[in-house]
Amino acid sequence: MPAAYSEKLDRWTAAVVARPGPLFALAAIVLLVQVGPWWYPSPDSAAYFSIARSFWSPEGPTAFGSSHLFYSPTYALLLSPVFFLGERPFMAAALLHWFLSLALMAGVYRWAKPLGSWSAVAVTLLTVLHVQYGIYFRRPLSETFFTTAMVWAVIVLDHFRTTQLRSERIGYGIAGTTLLTLACLIRPNGVMLIPGFGLALLATWGRREKRQLLAAVAATLLIGGIAAGVFYAARKIDDRRAAEKSAVTYWDYFVKLQDPSKPSMFARIPDGTFIQMGDFSRLIIPGMFKSRTKSEGRLNINNFVATAMTLVVVIGWWRLLRTRGDVWTWSFPFFMALNVIWAADVGTRYTLPVLPVIWAAVCMTVQPFRPRIERWLLPFVALHAVVGISYWLVTDLPRNRELNQHWPAVEELAWVVDRDQQTVAALGLTPEATQLFRFQLDRDVKAYDPAAKSKQPDWIVTLAEGSTLPPGYGVGAEAGPYRMLRRTTLNPHPVDAGQTPATPLE
């Protein structure tokens, strides 16, 4: 790069870092333009909407008519007021996520500020302008709420860890316990903050004297114990409902159903390790967010890149730990360990909530190359932003805007179903199209299985063109691109009393 351009870029970067407000406002605008009246459907978001819609009903909350929620209801509680605005309050839900993103930006910048202004700006912008953040920001999922609650929890708990005033420590302890409990109730992996908080506290207080070491243990047991206890009690309530419905509990899903081919959780570690390494490369390198690791043939370019990015994160995390050692930094390996054992390749969704820690680690790794590396901050942020906006404009927005044009047809066909007495299955629909019917009916719509030993569904929703009639079914109604097939023969199978939740991604 010519010296003149380098000097201009250096001056521009220095000015932006000194006063980042306009750039943060621009990032907020980039997120705001993605707010719209369209639903970007997924199985989990349909479930959250079902719980939110029924939250204040006399028999609620329910998930598709069942008292067994499976999902943590805290995010649905936050979402529930939007249904006072209409039957399909997608715009209100999107605006809610935008306000959460503003709180997230403020929290991430404040958390990263001790690393220096350059790092704080980089971590904040690279978090909210990332293509993967945009994907989950646009969907009614718990990621945005969870990450926001988590960053403010670690900020408050760090104040509890570092303050010397007893009165402040009590206030921070109460607030930190509340936010930590909230994070655990939004998503179960929030529990991973508890051992991180304990280790951060021990590392800080334990250096002084034995009495302070005991105080650190006591504070961890009290604050972490309250959060863990509330979380455990909430899960037990839903587990009892699952037992009543002969359904799958969250723990059963974690231990057995995530990968039935593996004999134990620990047998999933090799695959989980490669998946987690792949997540680092997908999140750090612009445009690599769709890459995949392979269970066979480990010697491929994606895994070489993933190994390099993992080394960048590990080196930076170690420097971050030695430099700062805050609650989030100590918690990071526990989140990664849980992801490895979980071993689910879901497009970085489980790693995304700790993306600020990953970017902070990257900043620490490249620190020896400063100040020369600083001039590439804005181009690197711009590249990530271009990838995110391009994916939204070219792929995500057109696909989902077209899908949302099907609402009149879905509403018309839903009227023919007695959702309290009849069951519906889907045949040949995309997962996204199936969610429209789950939302409209507020009942589960499973994939049609002609060989199922349980009761065959009363209705099958399929495409109007190119579909064949399964035996025992005739055309009952048709609207838009969809057709409802009604069962015409007596059902040879007994009614299945159990209700298994849709495969979750939470």
Side-chain angles (χ1 to χ4, degrees), residues 114-374:
L115 303 178
S117 298
W118 182 85
S119 295
V121 172
V123 171
T124 304
L125 294 177
L126 289 170
T127 294
V128 299
L129 294 179
H130 197 281
V131 58
Q132 290 287 38
Y133 180 82
I135 288 173
Y136 294 106
F137 158 77
R138 293 188 291 270
R139 285 157 174 78
L141 296 168
S142 61
E143 274 71 19
T144 305
F145 187 29
F146 177 60
T147 310
T148 303
M150 188 162 50
V151 68
W152 283 104
V154 299
I155 289 172
V156 174
L157 290 172
D158 273 322
H159 281 301
F160 174 85
R161 176 177 63 91
T162 57
T163 186
Q164 300 295 323
L165 299 177
R166 177 175 294 182
S167 58
E168 289 186 355
R169 185 169 292 166
I170 293 174
Y172 286 132
I174 295 173
T177 303
T178 303
L179 288 169
L180 178 61
T181 304
L182 177 64
C184 294
L185 291 177
I186 297 172
R187 295 188 69 174
N189 53 350
V191 175
M192 297 297 103
L193 287 174
I194 297 175
F197 167 65
L199 289 177
L201 208 57
L202 289 170
T204 304
W205 293 8
R207 298 173 183 174
R208 302 170 187 171
E209 56 187 39
K210 184 177 180 180
R211 185 171 60 86
Q212 288 294 318
L213 179 63
L214 295 176
V217 173
T220 302
L221 292 176
L222 178 61
I223 295 176
I226 291 174
V230 173
F231 165 77
Y232 180 76
R235 295 313 310 170
K236 289 299 292 184
I237 292 174
D238 202 53
D239 287 350
R240 285 198 297 269
R241 292 172 177 170
E244 295 171 357
K245 301 289 182 180
S246 301
V248 177
T249 67
Y250 200 94
W251 178 250
D252 288 336
Y253 182 78
F254 177 69
V255 176
K256 302 175 184 178
L257 299 184
Q258 176 62 27
D259 189 350
S261 66
K262 302 296 183 183
S264 69
M265 290 188 295
F266 296 103
R268 302 199 294 253
I269 289 178
D271 285 341
T273 300
F274 275 94
I275 291 170
Q276 185 56 61
M277 292 169 62
D279 277 8
F280 291 141
S281 60
R282 298 170 198 163
L283 290 171
I284 295 173
I285 300 178
M288 202 173 175
F289 65 102
K290 287 290 187 178
S291 66
R292 283 290 182 267
T293 55
K294 298 179 180 179
S295 57
E296 297 180 2
R298 297 296 188 187
L299 298 179
N300 61 77
I301 186 62
N302 286 342
N303 283 337
F304 281 120
V305 175
T307 301
M309 292 301 100
T310 301
L311 288 175
V312 169
V313 173
V314 171
I315 291 171
W317 172 81
W318 180 248
R319 290 177 177 172
L320 191 63
L321 188 68
R322 297 181 63 185
T323 302
R324 187 178 179 189
D326 70 294
V327 173
W328 221 359
T329 304
W330 276 106
S331 301
F332 182 71
F334 294 99
F335 278 93
M336 297 303 97
L338 181 62
N339 287 355
V340 167
I341 294 176
W342 188 253
D345 194 351
V346 290
T348 75
R349 183 178 178 187
Y350 300 147
T351 308
L352 190 65
V354 291
L355 182 58
V357 185
I358 293 174
W359 284 126
V362 172
C363 289
M364 294 299 292
T365 300
V366 302
Q367 195 172 37
F369 303 99
R370 296 173 67 181
R372 186 168 297 179
I373 194 72
E374 293 183 1

